[in-house]
Amino acid sequence: MSELPDLHKAMAESLPVYEAPASLKAWAREEARKADQEASPHHTFSAPSGSRVRRLYQWRMAAGFLFAAIIGWGAASLRPAGDATASTSGTTNELVDAHVRSLLPDHLLDVVSTDRHTVKPWFAGKTDIAPPVVDLTDKGFPLLGGRLDYVDGHSAAVLVYGRRLHKINVFVWRATAGEPHDGSFEVRGHSLLHWTNGGLSYWAVSDAAPPELEAFRDAYMP
């Protein structure tokens, strides 16, 4: 049992400390006072009555509820504020899933072409947006084609570009209220870059390094 003090010390040093609300502390003090009265040495010893047994049982139950309340209150304090973080996490995870799924055989492209004049009209009538299709071959990002996808409740037009041995999926949908903030994200070994422009939301996803996606965005949206 010698390891228990060390475990207690490690937990005390590493776990966060939370200040319980005043009402909770007052309730705990009152319950402790009642329990002390029951256990006072001034009382003549006698077999515990039914009411005393019930009170001791209630005190133990109260102590259990107190512990659970403090743990729950502390855990709630650790949650991210608002729903924005959870929403961003859900979106980025779905985007990574869609990117990985696209790399399976015959899943990457619905229209295979390096000609933007072929890719752009292919989306007509298939989606309610007209994503800009830019030829970036001279910038080191050759156009490979496009496809349709469905991500996080959005019907997305997806443009696919190459970058050396990497593929860059660019998911485009109409921007809506509550969009995650623009910026760079890293999820499960993949890089994501989000930006909005002209009422459209853009997500570039790849296993290339984040600076590669930033270079792509700068070339795509000069």
Side-chain angles (χ1 to χ4, degrees):
M1 301 297 289
S2 60
E3 67 273 12
L4 288 179
D6 293 336
L7 177 61
H8 181 272
K9 180 180 179 183
M11 292 176 65
E13 292 176 350
S14 60
L15 291 177
V17 177
Y18 300 99
E19 181 68 20
S23 58
L24 188 60
K25 292 191 288 187
W27 174 80
R29 284 195 297 267
E30 176 62 17
E31 291 298 323
R33 183 187 65 78
K34 292 176 182 177
D36 287 343
Q37 286 181 344
E38 295 289 345
S40 172
H42 298 294
H43 285 85
T44 303
F45 177 80
S46 61
S49 64
S51 61
R52 290 184 63 190
V53 170
R54 283 194 299 271
R55 178 164 292 280
L56 288 173
Y57 173 76
Q58 290 169 350
W59 163 242
R60 289 177 181 175
M61 289 291 293
F65 283 124
L66 173 62
F67 179 75
I70 292 174
I71 293 297
W73 183 77
S77 300
L78 288 174
R79 295 192 188 104
D83 295 330
T85 301
S87 175
T88 301
S89 176
T91 301
T92 54
N93 273 290
E94 286 204 30
L95 284 162
V96 169
D97 287 343
H99 173 76
V100 172
R101 188 168 57 247
S102 76
L103 300 180
L104 297 173
D106 301 323
H107 283 70
L108 184 63
L109 300 168
D110 291 335
V111 54
V112 182
S113 179
T114 60
D115 183 0
R116 66 187 180 90
H117 297 294
T118 299
V119 176
K120 185 176 179 65
W122 181 86
F123 286 104
K126 296 181 178 69
T127 177
D128 63 346
I129 62 172
V133 181
V134 186
D135 183 0
L136 300 175
T137 302
D138 60 341
K139 301 291 181 64
F141 300 97
L143 176 67
L144 302 179
R147 71 175 187 280
L148 298 178
D149 212 324
Y150 190 81
V151 181
D152 195 30
H154 299 279
S155 294
V158 186
L159 303 174
V160 184
Y161 288 84
R163 181 61 166 175
R164 302 186 183 92
L165 299 178
H166 305 284
K167 301 294 188 297
I168 300 175
N169 276 292
V170 184
F171 298 83
V172 188
W173 59 69
R174 195 173 302 282
T176 58
E179 285 279 332
H181 62 82
D182 292 1
S184 181
F185 304 84
E186 291 190 50
V187 177
R188 301 187 338 243
H190 292 77
S191 304
L192 301 91
L193 185 63
H194 179 235
W195 72 93
T196 53
N197 186 66
L200 298 179
S201 178
Y202 297 83
W203 284 92
V205 186
S206 179
D207 58 357
E212 300 277 28
L213 293 189
E214 293 173 2
F216 169 82
R217 178 198 55 196
D218 294 342
Y220 182 81
M221 306 289 295

